[in-house]
């Protein structure tokens, strides 16, 4: 019986019991290698799989000069901050753009580099013990012939905001030092994964699906982890997941997984596998290093085996550079965006005096699940000097961004209010 994905901790406890009984397998990766890898990452305190470090860069680092990500699209410095093989959207570059993130400024998170895959040579193979029969293949045309759906959904890296564990909370974390720009909202068009799984003959015995990318294998700390892949419970896979082939009305661009990627609403970005080439449908729980070792919560607040991650969290960002200078006595309009994976954002409050007084921001979008709201607040700075701008969102579940986030070693799911430094001159 598939477990309810809304009860994620129950789902994970069940998986962990199965793991402990030795029923689980971590496709192609030896358990000892994983432990060694995690120990190395933790000891180094700086390099994890989420890292842009030399180990995580894998083959891309060998093929390209250091710090030049293997992307196809241009990454001009006004729009992006380069972080190893990844490119972070500069939030200031979103000011004046619409609700959707234009493709030319949508962040890129690549474990290695962007592969070029022609639509007419692309194939998706669906296979595994959770199907009634053998493998079933989908060409691009077959996928496009299925009923198409469109959804506006954000994709956000689990490590978005990671650098604030260090700069605000004084804590050490491993991985790419994102500020808040590892998120984008797009209009995705594609087939439902549920339609594909049904055509492939998914049975009631199916437990997990494991989509895998066609990009290069990932080598970290000398261990080949294979291709990027992360399991989803079949209940989520049958619920609202898309196999997307269009982004903002264009064919899906290479850097964002073209010709076809998964879009997994509300879940951490790594769930949305780009350049998907095959999907294993397991009749037993499936594992990969991307849910046993990375993209998992470890630290003093968590059990030794760690805690699972599925849904993203709640955040706010100003459309302004960190450390910006603003003129004294001049009226400004502060703008920004807030988002939550749990429910629509209903309220945003802003402080321009380091968190003493708060004002309601004006919302410029109807709050909607799976997307962000744009907001604004007028501000006339009255005194020169350094200050901090703060924005704090509350979603329809009543959850408000907290003052601090409990530490985890890989710096995931930062949701605390960010102190955005500015200098009034
Ligand atoms: N095949 C593959 N899929 C992938 C990745 C990857 O490196 N390879 N990165 C994942 C991560 S960690 C994130 S946050 C999102 C980023 O999507 P984007 O690059 O389109 O912004 O893709 C996910 N899917
Ligand atoms: Mo990510």
């Amino acid at each position: 019986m598939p477990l309810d994905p809304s009860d994620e901790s129950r789902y994970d406890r069940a998986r962990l019991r199965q793991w402990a009984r030795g029923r689980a397998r971590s496709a192609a990766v030896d358990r000892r290698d994983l432990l060694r890898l995690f120990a190395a990452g933790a000891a180094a305190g700086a390099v994890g799989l989420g890292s842009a470090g030399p180990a995580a860069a894998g083959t891309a680092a060998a093929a390209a000069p250091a710090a030049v990500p293997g992307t196809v699209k241009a990454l001009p410095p006004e729009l992006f901050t380069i972080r190893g093989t990844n490119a972070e959207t500069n939030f200031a570059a979103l000011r004046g753009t619409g609700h959707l993130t234009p493709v030319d400024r949508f962040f890129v998170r690549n474990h290695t580099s962007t592969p070029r895959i022609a639509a007419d040579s692309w194939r998706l193979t669906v296979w595994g013990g959770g199907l009634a029969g053998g493998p079933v293949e989908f060409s691009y045309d077959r996928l496009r012939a299925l009923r198409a759906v469109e959804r506006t959904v954000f994709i956000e890296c689990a490590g978005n905001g990671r650098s604030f564990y260090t700069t605000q909370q004084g804590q050490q974390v491993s991985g790419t030092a994102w500020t808040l720009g590892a998120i984008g909202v797009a209009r995705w068009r594609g087939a439902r994964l549920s339609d594909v799984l049904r055509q492939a003959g998914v049975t009631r015995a199916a437990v997990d699906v494991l989509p895998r990318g066609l990009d290069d294998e990932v080598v970290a700390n000398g261990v080949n982890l294979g291709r990027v892949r992360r399991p989803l419970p079949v209940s989520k896979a049958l619920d609202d997941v898309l196999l997307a082939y269009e982004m903002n009305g264009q064919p899906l661009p290479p850097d964002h997984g073209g010709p076809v990627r998964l879009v997994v609403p509300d879940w951490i970005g790594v769930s949305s596998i780009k350049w998907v080439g095959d999907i294993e449908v397991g009749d037993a729980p499936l594992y990969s290093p991307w849910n046993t070792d990375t993209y998992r919560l470890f630290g003093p607040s968590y059990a030794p085996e760690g805690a699972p991650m599925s849904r993203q969290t709640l955040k706010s960002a100003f459309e302004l550079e960190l450390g910006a200078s603003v003129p004294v006595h001049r009226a400004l309009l502060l703008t920004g965006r807030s988002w939550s994976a749990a429910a629509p954002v209903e309220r945003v409050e802003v402080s321009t005096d380091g968190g003493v007084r708060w004002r309601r921001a004006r919302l410029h979008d109807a709050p909607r699940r799976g997307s962000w709201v744009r907001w604004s607040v007028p501000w006339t700075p009255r005194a020169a000097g350094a200050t901090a701008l703060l924005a704090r969102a509350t979603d329809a579940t009543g959850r408000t961004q907290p003052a601090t986030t409990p530490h985890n070693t890989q710096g995931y799911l930062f949701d605390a209010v960010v102190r955005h430094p500015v200098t009034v001159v």
Side-chain angles (χ1 to χ4, degrees):
M1 214 13 232
L3 292 159
D4 176 4
S6 63
D7 186 354
E8 288 140 15
S9 56
R10 198 179 114 231
Y11 167 75
D12 195 70
R13 279 198 304 277
R15 278 164 147 245
L16 278 171
R17 281 196 301 274
Q18 284 154 332
W19 170 277
R21 287 192 214 114
R23 281 170 54 194
R25 69 210 159 81
S26 178
V29 179
D30 185 83
R31 179 71 187 151
R32 273 165 314 175
D33 275 351
L34 290 178
L35 292 173
R36 185 156 62 82
L37 170 71
F38 184 67
V47 179
L49 261 192
S51 155
T59 50
V68 176
T71 58
V72 170
K73 72 179 180 186
L75 303 170
E78 327 73 88
L79 304 185
F80 293 101
T81 301
I82 306 305
R83 304 197 186 280
T85 55
N86 314 299
E88 174 168 355
T89 300
N90 292 338
F91 246 91
L94 296 182
R95 189 172 163 114
T97 66
H99 182 85
L100 304 179
T101 310
V103 170
D104 73 352
R105 51 204 82 186
F106 201 103
F107 84 104
V108 181
R109 189 333 190 196
N110 278 352
H111 282 71
T112 62
S113 58
T114 298
R116 301 299 298 255
I117 303 164
D120 55 11
S121 66
W122 176 84
R123 296 285 181 281
L124 172 68
T125 307
V126 185
W127 60 281
L131 298 186
V136 177
E137 218 176 69
F138 290 81
S139 65
Y140 189 74
D141 288 345
R142 180 172 178 188
L143 191 76
R144 292 209 69 135
L146 296 174
R147 180 175 43 141
V149 291
E150 269 195 34
R151 284 203 57 184
T152 300
V153 166
F154 71 74
I155 289 181
E156 182 185 15
C157 189
N160 196 24
R162 175 180 285 130
S163 64
F164 300 107
Y165 280 104
T166 306
T167 58
Q168 288 194 180
Q169 304 190 173
Q171 293 159 341
Q172 204 185 13
V173 287
S174 60
T176 303
W178 304 108
T179 59
L180 289 169
I183 179 168
V185 172
R187 184 98 181 134
W188 309 96
R189 181 180 171 85
R192 288 180 201 274
L193 178 57
S194 61
D195 287 343
V196 166
L197 292 175
R198 286 201 186 92
Q199 281 208 358
V202 66
T203 69
R204 295 175 69 103
V207 175
D208 280 343
V209 305
L210 184 60
R212 179 164 52 175
L214 292 165
D215 42 338
D216 285 343
E217 296 179 333
V218 178
V219 179
N221 297 323
V223 179
N224 186 338
L225 302 173
R227 287 179 157 159
V228 178
R229 62 202 186 282
R230 192 173 198 266
L232 287 171
V234 75
S235 47
K236 178 68 175 173
L238 292 175
D239 180 19
D240 59 357
V241 178
L242 299 186
L243 282 161
Y245 42 73
E246 277 181 24
M247 177 181 188
N248 296 349
Q250 307 288 326
L252 188 62
D255 296 313
H256 300 292
V260 180
R261 80 177 299 166
L262 258 73
V263 173
V264 181
D266 303 324
W267 285 38
I268 55 175
V270 69
S271 319
S272 293
I273 295 294
K274 303 195 276 189
W275 316 292
V276 58
D278 74 292
I279 301 178
E280 178 179 0
V281 182
D283 56 3
L286 301 176
Y287 293 86
S288 91
W290 285 269
N291 75 320
T292 58
D293 291 71
T294 55
Y295 301 95
R296 194 171 178 87
L297 302 166
F298 295 98
S301 340
Y302 300 98
E305 69 275 16
M309 294 168 63
S310 49
R311 225 197 258 157
Q312 254 296 357
T313 180
L314 175 62
K315 289 190 190 68
S316 300
F318 289 91
E319 295 170 341
L320 186 71
E321 278 160 51
L322 289 164
S325 291
V326 297
V328 70
H329 300 312
R330 186 137 1 122
L332 296 173
L333 189 66
L334 296 173
T335 61
R337 302 178 189 230
S338 298
W339 60 99
S340 165
V345 168
E346 289 197 327
R347 187 171 77 240
V348 179
E349 298 149 295
V350 169
S351 171
T352 54
D353 59 5
V356 182
R357 276 162 306 165
W358 294 84
R359 282 182 291 156
R360 279 287 272 271
R362 187 175 146 222
L363 305 188
H364 298 275
D365 290 302
R368 253 190 301 138
R369 179 81 190 273
S371 195
W372 52 21
V373 288
R374 291 170 291 169
W375 45 258
S376 66
V377 173
W379 179 42
T380 307
R382 296 292 176 204
T387 185
L389 306 177
L390 286 73
R392 180 170 73 190
T394 300
D395 71 22
T397 69
R399 201 161 173 277
T400 298
Q401 288 182 256
T404 56
T405 305
H407 177 245
N408 67 84
T409 57
Q410 297 176 93
Y412 297 126
L413 300 183
F414 190 86
D415 62 354
V417 175
V418 169
R419 302 177 66 85
H420 186 123
V422 293
T423 306
V424 180
V425 292

